[in-house]
Amino acid sequence: MVFSTLFFLTVFLPAVLGACWLSGSLLAWRARKNHAEMSWRPVNAILLLASLFFYFWGEGLGVGWLCLSVVANDWLARIIHSRHEERSRKIALVLLVAANLCFLGWFKYAGFLAQSVNSLLHLGVPVPHVLLPLGISFYTFQAMSYGIDVYRRETKPADSIIDFACYVTMFPQLVAGPIVRYADIETTLRNRIVSLDAISSGWSRFLFGLGKKVLIANTVASMADGVWSLADRGLGMPPLLTALGILCYSLQIYYDFSGYSDMAIGLGRMLGFSFPENFLHPYCSASVREFWRRWHISLSTWFRDYLYIPLGGNRKGKLRAGINGLVVFALCGLWHGAGIMFVVWGLWHGLFLLLEKAFASRPQKTFSLAASIPRFLIGHVYTVFVFMAGWIFFRSETTLAFATIWKSLLGLLPVSPDSRILWLDCTFRLQLALFAGVILSYPIVPALQRIAVRFCGANAALLVKSILATIVGLFSILFLIGNSYNPFLYFRF
């Protein structure tokens, strides 16, 4: 089930919110009447059932694999916690990590590994055709972080498997994040406050995220898909059209994913949870290092805490730190998809991070606009080139498509007549979406909010924000009614 569908917006979401709010109110009333402490477990059970239905709607019987993952991780984490001998705890931890990696590896990488072995060694290994469950990368990493944190004694196992299952399967962040650590919501699973302010704030955040997805990402997607469909066939395009396709894909993947994250965070607030921010205007960065502090923050943090630091981080010299960084980024690329181009995309970013650490005069600090406008602009242009060039690796499924994009961009291929039809997609709506996408990728809206609060007051600024969110939501619903093209890019990761 996709957030930006009429069924989700008009049936599923109102039903789930109503059931959780009503049951929570009744439980709170009964607790006050009996002068007892309120238990949120019945509400968590309702949320768990709703989340399993949400997943079943899109994945069918694949929900069984999700349930198996939940039960196995809960069981192994409890074993880790119950053992006092360090050797036994380590064995249980190895089993937990290995089970999760094998689970993820079979569904996501078995076919890729078989094809790679056949290509390199010509062994004729049968290639399994395995359907990839939705969101498996996200919920596997989330469950694995839980077990590792229990081993590190940074958190205790959940009081009930219902609470743990609710944590893993919670529908706002189940299939595309943000990746949430159990310690971040452990308290709110047991006791939370769902206030009118939180509901209002969450609903506005959800509507703005919906607008990002429907009004910008969906609009620019047609041009990006058209350019890469020609590249997949090796057909040349004019440099301007190729550059436009790259820009459209850069905006599509950002607003698709950040819009989803905004919707997930908004839904979490309406249910009483506080999910971590996942994007902080990454396209305004002035270094690759800053870009990765702002892009997909929950994933970057996961790789830092559970892979980079355990590998030694930067504690064992510059050479080891560089190798660790490249390993992390290669695996980060592989996490996004089973393909060599994803690995190259990760190494591309890892290489520039190494270069920045090696040649930057002050590598510990990001560039500052206030401190040096020329330096910021130079760094910003360089960073834009790095991540936009990186998206060519990311989007191109074959080396043919990758080479065609670059050759077309440089004017080294004859222009195919098939490319002319793509100019018909350059409508006023696309131009408006491009303009809005570029402008809003910079922190202009937060700056305007601060100005509005300063001169108009917090209440007036909040009212204006609510009105704008409602307008964005209405336009998004109108576009959903008239347009069936509504993919989520990160569902396939």
Side-chain angles (χ1 to χ4, degrees):
M1 193 184 302
V2 178
F3 290 170
S4 54
T5 58
L6 295 177
F7 178 80
F8 178 86
L9 294 170
T10 61
V11 179
F12 179 83
L13 183 58
V16 174
L17 291 178
C20 289
W21 292 341
L22 179 60
S23 59
S25 299
L26 291 175
L27 289 169
W29 173 80
R30 190 175 70 176
R32 287 195 300 269
K33 182 179 178 181
N34 297 330
H35 303 286
E37 184 177 354
M38 175 183 168
S39 172
W40 281 87
R41 190 158 299 151
V43 184
N44 292 343
I46 293 173
L47 185 54
L48 170 61
L49 292 175
S51 299
L52 292 176
F53 174 79
F54 173 88
Y55 193 81
F56 174 78
W57 183 274
E59 189 59 25
L61 296 179
V63 71
W65 295 114
L66 173 62
C67 294
L68 177 62
S69 176
V70 168
V71 172
N73 279 281
D74 179 74
W75 176 62
L76 287 171
R78 293 183 188 281
I79 291 178
I80 292 173
H81 181 71
S82 64
R83 297 296 186 268
H84 299 289
E85 184 183 3
E86 185 63 21
R87 183 171 179 272
S88 299
R89 298 178 73 249
K90 284 185 177 180
I91 291 175
L93 175 67
V94 169
L95 287 175
L96 182 143
V97 173
N100 279 285
L101 292 180
C102 289
F103 178 70
L104 180 62
W106 168 253
F107 283 104
K108 196 165 186 176
Y109 305 109
F112 170 68
L113 290 174
Q115 291 175 349
S116 300
V117 169
N118 290 338
S119 299
L120 294 174
L121 304 177
H122 307 287
L123 295 180
V125 176
V127 179
H129 298 283
V130 184
L131 293 177
L132 182 65
L134 290 175
I136 185 173
S137 299
F138 288 93
Y139 70 72
T140 301
F141 268 32
Q142 190 157 297
M144 192 157 48
S145 72
Y146 169 76
I148 296 173
D149 286 348
V150 169
Y151 171 78
R152 293 174 175 176
R153 304 193 189 282
E154 295 177 359
T155 189
K156 294 181 179 180
D159 294 335
S160 166
I161 191 173
I162 292 178
D163 292 345
F164 174 67
C166 181
Y167 154 71
V168 174
T169 68
M170 201 180 305
F171 74 90
Q173 48 83 58
L174 171 59
V175 293
I179 300 172
V180 181
R181 295 176 67 164
Y182 181 74
D184 294 335
I185 64 170
E186 179 182 7
T187 302
T188 48
L189 279 170
R190 294 196 302 264
N191 185 21
R192 52 189 180 270
I193 299 175
V194 184
S195 65
L196 290 177
D197 289 340
I199 294 172
S200 175
S201 172
W203 183 238
S204 296
R205 184 71 179 264
F206 178 86
L207 291 178
F208 281 126
L210 181 66
K212 281 185 178 182
K213 164 61 185 165
V214 176
L215 302 180
I216 298 179
N218 284 3
T219 302
V220 300
S222 59
M223 177 61 74
D225 290 346
V227 167
W228 257 274
S229 67
L230 294 177
D232 288 335
R233 293 182 285 160
L235 301 179
M237 293 160 282
L240 182 60
L241 181 65
T242 309
L244 180 61
I246 298 170
L247 174 61
C248 284
Y249 183 72
S250 299
L251 294 177
Q252 179 194 4
I253 194 168
Y254 170 56
Y255 284 101
D256 189 282
F257 197 20
S258 69
Y260 183 96
S261 293
D262 285 344
M263 287 187 276
I265 292 170
L267 290 172
R269 287 180 187 173
M270 288 189 281
L271 292 167
F273 295 94
S274 179
F275 296 153
E277 293 292 338
N278 217 17
F279 292 88
L280 291 175
H281 299 92
Y283 283 180
C284 73
S285 302
S287 68
V288 176
R289 187 177 185 181
E290 183 182 358
F291 174 83
W292 279 100
R293 287 176 177 171
R294 296 172 175 267
W295 177 274
H296 205 340
I297 300 170
S298 63
L299 180 65
S300 302
T301 304
W302 196 99
F303 273 106
R304 181 197 67 196
D305 293 345
Y306 299 106
L307 185 59
Y308 181 71
I309 293 177
L311 285 175
N314 55 5
R315 302 187 305 273
K316 298 184 178 181
K318 293 183 179 181
L319 177 61
R320 178 66 179 272
I323 294 174
N324 292 341
L326 289 176
V327 169
V328 167
F329 272 93
L331 292 176
C332 178
L334 195 61
W335 177 89
H336 282 87
I340 190 64
M341 300 304 286
F342 289 108
V343 177
V344 175
W345 170 78
L347 291 173
W348 169 264
H349 282 269
L351 175 63
F352 279 96
L353 274 173
L354 285 180
L355 292 174
E356 287 182 6
K357 290 182 179 180
F359 296 106
S361 57
R362 298 171 68 182
Q364 292 81 12
K365 297 183 179 180
T366 58
F367 294 99
S368 170
L369 178 59
S372 175
I373 292 178
R375 185 179 181 184
F376 169 83
L377 292 176
I378 293 172
H380 181 56
V381 171
Y382 141 77
T383 307
V384 169
F385 165 78
V386 172
F387 70 69
M388 290 188 72
W391 291 136
I392 302 176
F393 290 108
F394 196 87
R395 179 62 175 81
S396 301
E397 296 182 359
T398 63
T399 54
L400 173 63
F402 173 79
T404 301
I405 290 291
W406 274 107
K407 289 180 180 179
S408 297
L409 192 62
L410 299 174
L412 301 178
L413 286 179
V415 176
S416 169
D418 293 352
S419 65
R420 297 172 184 170
I421 196 173
L422 289 182
W423 289 114
L424 298 177
D425 290 335
C426 197
T427 60
F428 175 73
R429 180 184 170 186
L430 176 64
Q431 296 171 36
L432 186 61
L434 286 171
F435 176 78
V438 172
I439 293 298
L440 295 177
S441 64
Y442 293 86
I444 294 175
V445 172
L448 292 176
Q449 287 178 337
R450 290 191 295 269
I451 293 173
V453 170
R454 181 177 179 182
F455 290 99
C456 303
N459 292 332
L462 182 61
L463 178 61
V464 172
K465 181 180 179 181
S466 300
I467 293 173
L468 290 176
T470 302
I471 294 173
V472 169
L474 290 174
F475 271 102
S476 300
I477 292 174
L478 289 175
F479 277 96
L480 285 174
I481 293 174
N483 188 4
S484 61
Y485 185 72
N486 187 33
F488 259 121
L489 288 181
Y490 263 76
F491 275 16
R492 69 189 182 96
F493 303 130

